[in-house]
Amino acid sequence: MTHVFDEAIRVEARGDGVFYATTHQAYDNMVGPFGGITAATVVNALQQHPDVLGTPLALTINYAAPVANGTWDLHTQIVRTNRTNQHWTFTISQEGQTVSTGSAVFGIHRATWSDTEAVRPDVPPAENVAALDFPDFIAWASNYDKRFVVGGLDGGKSDDSTSTLWLRDLPERPLDYPALTSMTDAFFPRVFLRHGTYMPAGTITLTTYFHATPDELAAQGSDHVLGTARAARFGNGHFDQSGQLWGGDVLLASTHQLVYFKDPT
């Protein structure tokens, strides 16, 4: 059977760098589809382009307007291909209107000196942490096994916007670049945690940096990924949100986004 995630990110190539996609109700959000699944679909399409070089290194997607349920068109363009990296731009449109724009960088991994300055959170193993469900109106969340170590929404208001949790696809699915992309947006808006309640909020722009090599993703398999996210400043209707995804002691991806919010009424 095809995994629901693979159904949701399926694309059809129509030539000239254009792909068609269709939203999937399993990944519905409070307004439109889950932004992570849209970003994952873009990565899936770019990986299938006949002229792609290497694997994803970076992705930025700007959510200019909500994507409506139904089909959407992805228009991709290679801006430049260098010896080890390749630069892309893309737009998502529905009924002739642009709803998202973005850019991506793909490239070839080379053996070089390496070091990780980021520190993985010290947490208990996933099997020692209880799974937590989200409300039914956040449909996409039911596709993930979510085990919050800190920063779940069951503790009321918090002075700290940090959430750290174990995360994996449900049902289990081997990790790949589209799945990793989606997970970088699986942190609920930090303002929910600060206020201890759901409130109007949505991502305006999301950037993901892919640190994982294909071999590191293969080694991860379908094991839980450890995610952690926090904000730096709230105000004037916006806040930032930064996160990391770890597989064992390997930093797989880091992510940054800008989110709009409205005060609860």
Side-chain angles (χ1 to χ4, degrees), residues 246-260:
W246 295 81
D249 292 327
V250 176
L251 181 61
L252 302 174
S254 54
T255 181
H256 309 275
Q257 60 179 271
L258 180 70
V259 186
Y260 85 89

Side-chain angles (χ1 to χ4, degrees), residues 161-163 188-194 229-231 234 239 241:
S161 66
T162 302
S163 287
F188 59 77
R190 302 294 85 204
V191 74
F192 291 4
L193 183 56
R194 291 298 307 270
R230 66 166 302 155
F234 302 84
F239 64 91
Q241 184 167 301

Side-chain angles (χ1 to χ4, degrees), residues 64-80:
V67 175
N69 288 330
T71 60
W72 49 272
D73 305 336
L74 173 66
H75 300 260
T76 69
Q77 180 179 0
I78 299 173
V79 177
R80 183 181 176 92

Side-chain angles (χ1 to χ4, degrees), residues 10 14 20 37 44 48 52-53 59 68 79 90 104 111 114 125 133 149 158 165 175 190 200 207 212 227 236 240 253:
R10 182 180 291 126
R14 293 297 179 92
Y20 289 178
I37 204 69
N44 184 40
Q48 295 183 39
V52 69
L53 175 72
L59 176 79
V79 177
F90 62 86
S114 62
D133 290 330
V149 180
S158 174
L165 72 155
L175 190 66
R190 302 294 85 204
T207 295
N236 305 305
D240 66 308

Side-chain angles (χ1 to χ4, degrees), residues 53-65:
L53 175 72
T55 56
L57 298 179
L59 176 79
T60 294
I61 181 168
N62 309 304
Y63 301 99

